[in-house]
Amino acid sequence: MRSHGEKIFEAAVSAALIIALLLFYPAVLSLIEKLPFGLTFIFSAVYILLAAGVLYQLIMRIREIRGGEEDDLDNY
């Protein structure tokens, strides 16, 4: 059975990879495609909001792990 620290570490690494991809994509898109500033800004804002959502879910997952509710499937 994995410890709380390992579960938190796994969740953090997964979230960090997803956030990195979400922030990397608009940067590369703006360098490759010559899009207008407004369109680039909108794409960037959407991906930043998605990254914030992933970060929020990571915080909620850490609270679940620390609270002892490690497997949500037990609730159903």
Side-chain angles (χ1 to χ4, degrees), residues 1-75:
M1 187 162 214
R2 297 182 322 227
S3 69
H4 291 309
E6 289 175 344
K7 291 178 183 179
I8 291 172
F9 177 75
E10 292 170 358
V13 168
S14 298
L17 289 174
I18 292 170
I19 289 171
L21 287 173
L22 286 171
L23 297 179
F24 181 72
Y25 180 71
V28 170
L29 182 65
S30 67
L31 292 175
I32 293 174
E33 298 288 330
K34 298 299 180 192
L35 299 174
F37 176 74
L39 194 57
T40 304
F41 180 77
I42 291 171
F43 279 140
S44 298
V46 168
Y47 281 96
I48 288 171
L49 289 174
L50 288 171
V54 171
L55 185 61
Y56 174 76
Q57 288 301 317
L58 172 64
I59 292 168
M60 298 307 295
R61 178 68 181 140
I62 290 172
R63 287 182 183 168
E64 286 178 359
I65 292 170
R66 287 186 178 156
E69 190 177 329
E70 295 151 8
D71 190 8
D72 289 342
L73 293 176
D74 292 340
N75 296 335

